[in-house]
Amino acid sequence: MSIGHTLLGLLESGPRHGYDLKRAFDEKFGHDRPLHYGQVYSTMSRLLKHGLVEVDGIEAGGGPERKRYAITDAGITDVARWLATPEKPEPYLQSTLYTKVVLALLTHRDAADILDTQRSEHLRSMRILTDRKRKGDLADQLICDHALFHLEADLRWLELTAARLDKLREAVTS
């Protein structure tokens, strides 16, 4: 996820302080990985340097000055370009799990145990996500569906690999 583009998009609704941007980000996107304040302010500094935001006002208070940021026309154009650019699908061709299975076969360990253990972990994760989805709002349901679909694909791969384990052993050890 592009933190900078996400913060720019949040600024399109109007100027905000860094604290407000962090809170809005965490509320909409950061359920599992909230932003650190340092990340917000370093990102805003970079966006300011590149002319994508400007300081809309500075408020003095009991602590440090609070800058209010506003998106510039260049920032709006940048967000529009980012939104219109499709994300590159990740083909997972460098799977750690695949590497573990092959190494298990090469070192004469039980690759079936690795697949069984991984299947159990995937199923545990799916139960947690399904429970979260059931209790969540629409945004949470959609993000959980995304994760669940990926885990389901992994489970299909685990089953297929388990069925082909003898052939894979022959291929990698000969």
Side-chain angles (χ1 to χ4, degrees):
M1 174 189 323
S2 170
I3 303 299
H5 287 111
T6 305
L7 294 176
L8 283 171
L10 290 171
L11 281 173
E12 282 200 48
S13 64
R16 297 182 191 207
H17 296 96
Y19 173 83
D20 297 327
L21 284 167
K22 180 206 177 333
R23 193 174 62 217
F25 180 96
D26 290 351
E27 181 182 301
K28 299 288 184 197
F29 311 108
H31 294 286
D32 296 317
R33 295 174 81 186
L35 282 180
H36 296 286
Y37 285 105
Q39 191 174 11
V40 172
Y41 293 111
S42 64
T43 302
M44 295 312 296
S45 177
R46 186 174 32 80
L47 296 173
L48 189 62
K49 180 176 141 188
H50 290 105
L52 302 176
V53 297
E54 61 190 9
V55 176
D56 186 57
I58 298 176
E59 299 171 10
E65 293 180 333
R66 291 176 34 134
K67 294 179 184 174
R68 188 174 55 245
Y69 299 96
I71 192 168
T72 63
D73 289 340
I76 292 170
T77 300
D78 197 54
V79 171
R81 187 178 316 118
W82 178 68
L83 289 173
T85 304
E87 291 297 310
K88 180 181 178 193
E90 297 193 30
Y92 301 107
L93 294 177
Q94 292 297 321
S95 166
T96 302
L97 184 53
Y98 173 77
T99 301
K100 285 182 172 187
V101 170
V102 170
L103 282 175
L105 294 171
L106 288 172
T107 58
H108 308 290
R109 289 182 171 90
D110 192 348
D113 281 350
I114 292 171
L115 294 171
D116 288 341
T117 301
Q118 192 63 50
R119 185 181 308 103
S120 294
E121 185 61 20
H122 271 61
L123 291 171
R124 186 186 71 75
S125 292
M126 291 175 81
R127 284 190 297 275
I128 292 168
L129 285 166
T130 300
D131 186 53
R132 177 177 164 182
K133 177 182 166 181
R134 194 176 305 113
K135 295 174 183 174
D137 60 11
L138 180 59
D140 220 24
Q141 291 169 11
L142 289 171
I143 197 67
C144 287
D145 279 339
H146 187 263
L148 284 164
F149 293 151
H150 281 275
L151 289 170
E152 286 173 5
D154 287 350
L155 282 175
R156 286 193 307 272
W157 181 86
L158 289 166
E159 295 301 324
L160 181 65
T161 303
R164 294 179 173 174
L165 211 45
D166 290 335
K167 288 183 180 180
L168 182 59
R169 181 178 291 107
E170 286 178 31
V172 300
T173 57
S174 56

